[in-house]
Amino acid sequence: MSPISQPTSVAFNPYAENGGTILAIAGLDFAVVAGDTRQSEGYSIQTRYAPKVFRLTDKATLAVNGFAADGNIFVKTVKQRLEWYRHAHAKDMPLRAIARLIQTMLYAKRFFPYYVYNILGGIEEDGSGAVYSFDPVGSYEREACRAAGAASSLIQPFLDNQIYFKNQVAVSGTSHPKHLPILDVLSLVTDSFTSATERHIEVGDGLEIYVIVASGRSLTELSSIAGIEEVTGSASATDRVFVIRRELKKD
Amino acid sequence: MELNGGSVVAMVGKNCVAIASDLRLGNQALTIATNFEKTFPITDRIIIGLPGLATDVITLKERFRYRVNMYTIKEGREIEPETFAHLVSSTLYERRFGPFFVEPVIAGLTKPSEGSVPFIAGTDLIGCLTLPKDFVVSGTASDKLFGMAESLWEPDLGPEELFETISQTLMNAVDRDAFSGWGAVVHVITPDKVITRTLKGRMD
Amino acid sequence: MECSFALVGKGYVLVAADTTAARSIVKMKSDEDKTKVLSPHLVMTYSGEPGDTVQFAEYIERNIRLQHMRNNHELRPQSSAAWIRRTLADSLRSRHPYSVNLLLGGYDEATSTPHLYWIDYLGTIASVPYAAHGYGSYFALSTLDRYHNPAASLEEGLRTLRRCIDEVANRMAIGVGKFKVRVVDKDGAREVELPPSVSVA
């Protein structure tokens, strides 16, 4: 008697969740985009240094979080589209156009989505700092701040409180500031990540903070920051990009 | 936990402790009542917070009252916070294989003769105790409470500073939670009194 | 579809329950009384699993009556509510739990205050200014959010209750039919007639 082979179904899951958290805050004439550098799957750490924040142009930075493989391919494709734009128009794509490009690219894969949350930060054509946040299928919105990823639920209420001054009442005759000074913003970013690292197992190892500064803004405050590095692409750029690297707990 | 919603947080301060809860009682997405406190006084120095399945919240509140009364009569003295925490733990573990669906938070001060030392504790639904030195969170907004408390809390806060810290922690956390909110009640236990304040919050 | 509402006004509690007894898609009866007067100053609406409802309501009714006879004194609304809740909570973890939802309205003669309790089959209890059970709650609670007034006269309270019933009749896919309305105040519990519906323009 020959054994009858039973049909077996093999479910292939094309997605993974790689942890980590990203965060962006817009200032009056600057934007800060940050992400931790841990990449994990389940309880295993795949690497302690996998960047999630990328400089796209001298006025735009993109943070991607979720399924790392999709994130990397997505950033690669966005960069390619921006290069084609440069070849066609001899200038960098404006930030709001990049935001709309990202929407179209995400929605194009509406029924097999890139499993990533995107946050775009940079400088608009009018010189204002801007943050755009996206869901995996391309819904997007311009905001003053946004946290996404594994520890977004830990960080977002903190930003509501410290950036939007939610549940805080200004002293009578005064009002809450619309934009915070850059050093205050950077403190909030570090505090957010150190807190998230304490309480979330998927967050930690390293922190990369990109700072995009509008042309004409004084850089004196930035020069006081230890280990700050300029990563502006072209020598003729007017807006400038810096990166600050910090260690986070590795346990 | 998501059937009725609700959140509780407790924090340690300098010679004081604070415990706070939201006021919502829901049936999934539908809000039934907006005056449902989840904190209950046990002695003049101990308060328990019981977020979770509302029927068990009430049953356990009554059961703890009964067991603490029996303790007081038998021992002829008030129960201490640490002893009470173990009472909570064993009460829950009695139902190991058919648990009460609550995750209690306990806040208290030891008796004045032992220095009114702050005490906080949390347990899971079957009574596994955790005794942190900073803060305990519980309920449907626990992840948000962790984020807020971890960034706002600092050691040695006085009663008024602690009140502000726990209030901001709770309010901003529940505002990002669909199952918690509709105002809050905050208790700060100090060696000579308990300060209780009701907070207004977002109504959505 | 089963639904019941209740609200507190100035010195009274109004409770209302639909009167349909349905089995699957068939309407078996259209004058079923799903309310009970438990004691002179205590009324209750009940809904839920057919069979459980009447059995449980009668059990409650007789025990409250027994309490009254033994002590020659009515059990106060708070105490009645606590006992009823406990009965449901104990039942929940028994071999065969009752699945009955209640609205309990009472007038406390000792303090001259009306009390309303929302109680579900799990033994959840909430002391509320207005309450509803069933699918009707999704419409009635919004209506009550807008129109409820704790200082309203009985006439105004009845008009508010009428609004709720009209809203449910207007928006619910399945008709709910007539309602039985009872009020409890300092003079005790009695049945009242709803004012005619005001046509929605």
Side-chain angles (χ1 to χ4, degrees):
Chain A
M1 273 224 273
S2 63
I4 299 156
S5 63
Q6 292 294 120
T8 52
S9 69
V10 181
F12 170 65
N13 180 196
Y15 292 120
E17 177 66 59
N18 298 113
T21 269
I22 52 172
L23 157 64
I25 300 169
L28 180 65
D29 50 6
F30 66 90
V32 174
V33 186
D36 71 325
T37 65
R38 175 175 293 184
Q39 192 182 99
S40 59
E41 191 168 359
Y43 295 129
S44 306
I45 296 170
Q46 293 173 323
T47 171
R48 297 193 191 278
Y49 186 70
K52 280 191 275 291
V53 192
F54 303 91
R55 187 187 66 83
L56 298 176
T57 67
D58 289 326
K59 55 175 108 271
T61 310
L62 182 63
V64 277
N65 189 226
F67 176 30
D70 271 3
N72 291 330
I73 284 297
F74 186 72
V75 171
K76 195 173 170 180
T77 328
V78 173
K79 280 183 172 171
Q80 186 180 56
R81 293 288 294 269
L82 293 177
E83 188 168 332
W84 290 347
Y85 182 97
R86 235 176 346 258
H87 292 149
H89 300 93
K91 63 162 190 159
D92 280 336
M93 191 188 278
L95 193 73
R96 63 189 201 94
I98 300 178
R100 181 60 66 87
L101 171 74
I102 290 173
Q103 168 171 73
T104 3
M105 288 176 64
L106 289 169
Y107 199 82
K109 282 179 63 63
R110 174 63 180 78
F111 297 106
F112 184 26
Y114 289 113
Y115 210 68
V116 285
Y117 283 90
N118 281 285
I119 303 178
L120 177 70
I123 307 296
E124 293 280 22
E125 281 173 306
D126 65 1
S128 62
V131 164
Y132 290 90
S133 68
F134 301 80
D135 81 350
V137 288
S139 283
Y140 79 109
E141 184 182 11
R142 187 181 166 180
E143 295 177 292
C145 67
R146 170 61 64 184
S152 61
S153 59
L154 283 74
I155 297 175
Q156 193 65 51
F158 176 65
L159 299 181
D160 291 343
N161 189 219
Q162 299 292 318
I163 307 280
Y164 293 120
F165 296 99
K166 289 280 168 69
N167 292 112
Q168 288 194 261
V169 182
V171 175
S172 63
T174 67
S175 62
H176 292 307
K178 264 191 102 175
H179 297 284
L180 293 176
I182 195 160
L183 293 180
D184 291 15
V185 168
L186 289 169
S187 304
L188 290 173
V189 170
T190 357
D191 284 359
S192 296
F193 276 93
T194 42
S195 294
T197 304
E198 284 292 329
R199 293 291 175 174
H200 202 112
I201 55 167
E202 291 173 3
V203 181
D205 293 332
L207 172 60
E208 279 190 335
I209 310 168
Y210 278 74
V211 186
I212 310 97
V213 180
S215 60
R217 189 187 198 281
S218 156
L219 298 171
T220 47
E221 291 155 299
L222 287 179
S223 60
S224 70
I225 298 163
I228 193 166
E229 181 193 335
E230 180 156 8
V231 287
T232 315
S234 67
S236 61
T238 50
D239 301 324
R240 296 166 74 176
V241 188
F242 298 85
V243 61
I244 303 160
R245 293 194 173 84
R246 291 287 179 268
E247 290 290 307
L248 288 173
K249 283 172 73 175
K250 297 185 196 309
D251 54 4
Chain B
M1 277 286 167
E2 279 81 29
L3 184 71
N4 300 123
S7 299
V8 172
V9 56
M11 284 178 174
V12 167
K14 189 174 190 178
N15 302 121
C16 59
V17 279
I19 182 165
S21 87
D22 72 321
L23 294 178
R24 183 179 179 271
L25 170 76
N27 214 207
Q28 303 198 82
L30 180 72
T31 301
I32 299 295
T34 58
N35 57 355
F36 195 83
E37 294 186 18
K38 291 150 199 85
T39 51
F40 306 100
I42 297 299
T43 68
D44 292 348
R45 306 260 175 283
I46 307 172
I47 296 176
I48 188 169
L50 296 165
L53 188 69
T55 180
D56 291 346
V57 170
I58 303 158
T59 305
L60 280 172
K61 167 195 79 174
E62 288 166 359
R63 180 165 295 205
F64 291 140
R65 187 180 60 182
Y66 166 76
R67 296 192 89 165
V68 168
N69 283 346
M70 291 306 282
Y71 180 97
T72 316
I73 294 163
K74 282 181 182 165
E75 296 282 322
R77 62 188 167 91
E78 241 183 27
I79 198 167
E80 282 299 291
E82 199 178 331
T83 320
F84 178 67
H86 282 95
L87 186 151
V88 169
S89 172
S90 57
T91 306
L92 293 179
Y93 199 78
E94 272 181 3
R95 295 275 182 282
R96 172 62 179 80
F97 297 110
F100 291 114
F101 297 99
V102 288
E103 290 181 353
V105 168
I106 299 143
L109 291 179
T110 62
K111 59 183 170 211
S113 62
E114 280 176 20
S116 298
V117 182
F119 175 89
I120 54 161
T123 95
D124 67 3
L125 78 169
I126 53 167
C128 175
L129 272 175
T130 32
L131 305 156
K133 50 175 176 262
D134 42 14
F135 51 82
V136 200
V137 303
S138 183
T140 51
S142 61
D143 49 350
K144 288 113 184 163
L145 285 166
F146 265 129
M148 285 308 298
E150 189 64 52
S151 36
L152 295 190
W153 184 87
E154 48 188 280
D156 298 324
L157 293 165
E160 283 305 318
E161 299 167 302
L162 189 65
F163 166 77
E164 198 58 35
T165 307
I166 198 169
S167 302
Q168 289 293 330
T169 299
L170 186 70
M171 293 298 257
N172 289 286
V174 299
D175 283 354
R176 281 277 174 184
D177 183 26
F179 295 111
S180 307
W182 281 88
V185 61
V186 184
H187 308 275
V188 183
I189 309 171
T190 66
D192 43 62
K193 62 177 183 295
V194 178
I195 307 162
T196 300
R197 295 191 182 115
T198 306
L199 307 177
K200 282 186 180 176
R202 286 180 67 102
M203 304 198 291
D204 60 5
Chain C
M1 281 274 82
E2 273 196 326
C3 40
S4 47
F5 320 116
L7 61 91
V8 178
K10 194 175 169 60
Y12 66 87
V13 187
L14 269 172
V15 301
D18 72 295
T19 53
T20 328
R23 208 159 141 181
S24 180
I25 54 161
V26 185
K27 200 179 270 180
M28 309 296 285
K29 211 164 173 278
S30 58
D31 58 351
E32 173 90 340
D33 185 0
K34 297 182 212 179
T35 68
K36 259 207 175 0
V37 179
L38 301 176
S39 68
H41 292 88
L42 197 64
V43 291
M44 169 177 95
T45 72
Y46 54 89
S47 57
E49 182 80 16
D52 280 12
T53 49
V54 177
Q55 195 72 23
F56 183 77
E58 287 182 359
Y59 173 74
I60 293 296
E61 183 186 35
R62 288 165 196 192
N63 273 96
I64 297 279
R65 177 89 181 109
L66 177 66
Q67 185 74 215
H68 193 168
M69 288 191 295
R70 275 184 173 166
N71 302 299
N72 198 227
H73 189 275
E74 246 187 288
L75 198 59
R76 292 170 72 180
Q78 301 91 314
S79 317
S80 308
W83 180 77
I84 296 169
R85 187 209 84 81
R86 171 44 67 96
T87 308
L88 278 168
D90 288 344
S91 150
L92 181 71
R93 288 174 200 276
S94 69
R95 208 168 54 79
H96 185 78
Y98 284 111
S99 105
V100 187
N101 300 316
L102 311 167
L103 295 176
L104 189 72
Y107 185 83
D108 187 0
E109 286 192 288
T111 57
S112 306
T113 46
H115 291 270
L116 170 62
Y117 297 95
W118 180 95
I119 304 172
D120 75 1
Y121 71 100
L122 300 166
T124 312
I125 192 168
S127 174
V128 285
Y130 47 87
H133 272 304
Y135 283 111
S137 62
Y138 292 98
F139 310 107
L141 287 182
S142 313
T143 310
L144 287 161
D145 282 340
R146 174 65 184 80
Y147 292 107
H148 178 257
N149 171 204
S153 65
L154 182 57
E155 291 66 39
E156 196 185 333
L158 281 164
R159 278 200 297 278
T160 308
L161 195 60
R162 168 54 83 184
R163 276 186 194 275
C164 294
I165 293 166
D166 287 353
E167 186 67 22
V168 174
N170 194 231
R171 289 293 173 183
M172 192 109 93
I174 305 165
V176 284
K178 282 192 147 60
F179 277 79
K180 175 81 107 184
V181 186
R182 289 188 197 273
V183 66
V184 58
D185 59 14
K186 63 176 174 22
D187 304 322
R190 63 187 178 281
E191 195 180 337
V192 282
E193 282 300 311
L194 270 179
S197 20
V198 191
S199 67
V200 186

